[in-house]
Amino acid sequence: MRLSRYFLPVLKENPSEAQIVSHRLMLRAGMIKQSAAGIYSWLPLGFKILRKLENIVHEEQARAGHMAMLMPTIQSADLWRESGRYDAYGEEMLRIKDRGGREMLFTPTAEELITDIFRAHVSSYKDLPLTMYQIQWKFRDEVRPRFGVMRGREFLMKDGYNFDLTKEDALHAYNRHLVSYLRTYERMGLQAIPMRADSGPIGGDDTHEFLVLAETGESEVFYDSAVTDLSFGDRDIDYGSVEDCAAVMEEFTSRYARTDETHDPALFNAIPEERRRTARGIEVGQIFYFGTKYSEAMGATVQRPDGKPVPVHMGSHGIGVSRLMGAIIEASHDDKGIIWPEGVTPYHAGIVNLKQGDAEADAACEALYASLTALGLEPLYDDRNERAGGKFATMDLIGLPWRITVGPRGLKNGVVELTSRRTGESEELPPEAVVARLAQIYAGIA
Ligand code: ATP
Ligand code: MG
């Protein structure tokens, strides 16, 4: 992509409505534009990153054996009456009437609809286990939408639903989701800690929230500092193995880590004092096992091998895809702007031409652009007729992890400069060496 052709409406001034850094930087970097309270348009740069986050979620769901599908955003109120949630959900639900006066709603989550699909088509244990998910827009009429995409009213969520014959099978699905979520967040460059939580309007007993520690987080959390030493890494887990998934669950959830809703001061105080931590966190996901709550209410039964019909065991699992963008920025920025982790960066490297119009500099930039593209990498080339200072400021603000600076002086010595956004360190290298270095950095990521 060439910056001269790109729609990137960057703001020079800090927008006054933004209270937290991620909101500020998303507006300044021209990623989003508010259209109404808690409702945003995603401009090309923001949308590109959103797609990257979605792709990581899709890839990790596929690895866990879950099937992607898509359900409508507008649903009939009747289904929600069956579960009793049409009234229970309260003011957060956006209720709509169609021209025939039929009551509809904009879906805040989709347990009812997926259960309706299930009961229409599945009646035997032979079709289980089954896990399907979607990445779809949700609407919740939040009392206080704020912090940009962190607490929006319309937001993008991955929501997945598992159907199993027995509680044991459903708990395996629960553990499997925990494993796949750990991997998903790590690929996004985030540490998200599973914490025992409260189930809220979804219902059920077993639930963990995934929290990214950040001062601006809305949840108060309490944990044993040992949990922050854990990392999933690139271990090869067999998602079908009950033991493998249970072992990861045990490793990541046996230490104390809870949100304020489930906090137990007595248990907390039993942790050695130097490991006790109180902090704030951003909830980026949650997993639930709620047994037969919806299947009983809505008549979703399957026949066991002995022919007896039983309500199916269910769980649901959510990732806040659009909120994650804010969480990543909260966790990774400096006073100049965003610093994207390599796994989610919108473009792999920025090319800054210090002397646009200089035949040699232009040719060197074009050659770098072509070589990176040929490797399957996406460069963002700042080919505008602007001063170097302005070009650097834009690159720093939008946060590409690598910048290649090309100028006549370096080219005389056969070199360009490769700069890391994170460390600020630069190295002078021949253009081919820069291309090779970037290929190596992104091997296995891009
Ligand atoms: P919260 O407690 O933050 O209101 P929740 O527990 O009600 O969230 P869930 O039903 O667990 O939300 O939804 C799954 C995920 O969707 C959450 O973990 C969160 O990351 C994301 N999410 C929920 N509400 C919002 C919102 N208003 N804006 C952006 N993302 C949201
Ligand atoms: Mg939640």
Side-chain angles (χ1 to χ4, degrees), residues 140 142 149-152 155 157 202 209 283-286 288 318-320 323:
R140 293 183 186 173
E142 301 274 357
V149 300
M150 290 271 221
R151 184 162 297 283
F155 58 97
M157 194 207 285
I202 308 275
E209 285 180 356
E283 181 196 330
V284 293
Q286 186 162 11
F288 301 88
I319 294 181
R323 179 182 285 182

Side-chain angles (χ1 to χ4, degrees), residues 38 89 92 108-109 111 138-140 142 144-146 148-159 185 198-202 207-210 218-219 261 282-288 317-324:
Y89 221 96
E92 270 193 21
T109 174
E111 281 80 8
K138 302 293 183 300
F139 196 95
R140 293 183 186 173
E142 301 274 357
R144 274 216 295 167
R146 56 180 187 159
V149 300
M150 290 271 221
R151 184 162 297 283
R153 291 198 295 166
E154 187 184 54
F155 58 97
L156 190 61
M157 194 207 285
K158 172 266 171 180
D159 45 323
Y185 298 123
D198 186 61
S199 63
I202 308 275
T207 183
H208 282 87
E209 285 180 356
F210 291 78
E218 291 188 284
S219 316
E261 296 153 337
I282 302 166
E283 181 196 330
V284 293
Q286 186 162 11
I287 54 177
F288 301 88
H317 317 276
I319 294 181
V321 180
S322 49
R323 179 182 285 182
L324 270 166

Side-chain angles (χ1 to χ4, degrees), residues 111-363:
E111 281 80 8
E112 282 77 0
L113 192 58
I114 192 92
T115 306
D116 183 51
I117 294 169
F118 181 88
R119 71 181 170 185
H121 298 290
V122 181
S123 55
S124 161
Y125 73 95
K126 289 182 194 144
D127 295 323
L128 303 181
L130 179 64
T131 298
M132 296 191 277
Y133 76 96
Q134 64 172 349
I135 298 180
Q136 175 65 297
W137 295 94
K138 302 293 183 300
F139 196 95
R140 293 183 186 173
D141 205 353
E142 301 274 357
V143 200
R144 274 216 295 167
R146 56 180 187 159
F147 300 163
V149 300
M150 290 271 221
R151 184 162 297 283
R153 291 198 295 166
E154 187 184 54
F155 58 97
L156 190 61
M157 194 207 285
K158 172 266 171 180
D159 45 323
Y161 306 87
N162 68 282
F163 299 89
D164 288 277
L165 182 61
T166 64
K167 177 170 181 180
E168 294 69 58
D169 292 349
L171 288 177
H172 171 53
Y174 186 83
N175 296 347
R176 193 176 66 230
H177 278 86
L178 180 121
V179 176
S180 74
Y181 279 23
L182 288 172
R183 226 188 133 100
T184 301
Y185 298 123
E186 279 198 18
R187 280 187 63 186
M188 296 175 180
L190 283 175
Q191 180 172 43
I193 304 167
M195 301 202 181
R196 183 164 291 285
D198 186 61
S199 63
I202 308 275
D205 305 326
D206 281 297
T207 183
H208 282 87
E209 285 180 356
F210 291 78
L211 285 115
V212 172
L213 299 175
E215 278 165 32
T216 49
E218 291 188 284
S219 316
E220 187 172 28
V221 298
F222 304 84
Y223 61 94
D224 178 338
S225 66
V227 298
T228 55
D229 299 334
L230 298 170
S231 116
F232 189 77
D234 56 3
R235 41 181 117 177
D236 190 17
I237 296 287
D238 174 359
Y239 284 93
S241 157
V242 172
E243 295 73 27
D244 277 19
C245 294
V248 174
M249 169 59 107
E250 169 71 16
E251 179 184 347
F252 280 81
T253 64
S254 57
R255 310 255 185 189
Y256 193 92
R258 295 189 180 198
T259 63
D260 52 0
E261 296 153 337
T262 55
H263 180 50
D264 179 336
L267 283 178
F268 186 59
N269 288 330
I271 306 167
E273 190 168 2
E274 68 280 7
R275 298 211 318 251
R276 260 177 252 158
R277 298 281 187 282
T278 304
R280 303 203 65 84
I282 302 166
E283 181 196 330
V284 293
Q286 186 162 11
I287 54 177
F288 301 88
Y289 162 68
F290 45 71
T292 56
K293 174 179 159 144
Y294 295 91
S295 54
E296 280 191 56
M298 297 180 62
T301 56
V302 286
Q303 279 199 333
R304 291 196 313 206
D306 64 8
K308 188 171 176 261
V310 287
V312 69
H313 283 260
M314 292 173 62
S316 72
H317 317 276
I319 294 181
V321 180
S322 49
R323 179 182 285 182
L324 270 166
M325 202 174 310
I328 294 169
I329 297 173
E330 290 295 325
S332 185
H333 67 269
D334 63 14
D335 51 6
K336 293 186 213 142
I338 303 166
I339 307 173
W340 292 114
E342 268 93 0
V344 301
T345 185
Y347 293 93
H348 299 104
I351 302 173
V352 168
N353 188 343
L354 292 178
K355 199 163 185 202
Q356 206 69 44
D358 175 89
E360 241 189 294
D362 290 1

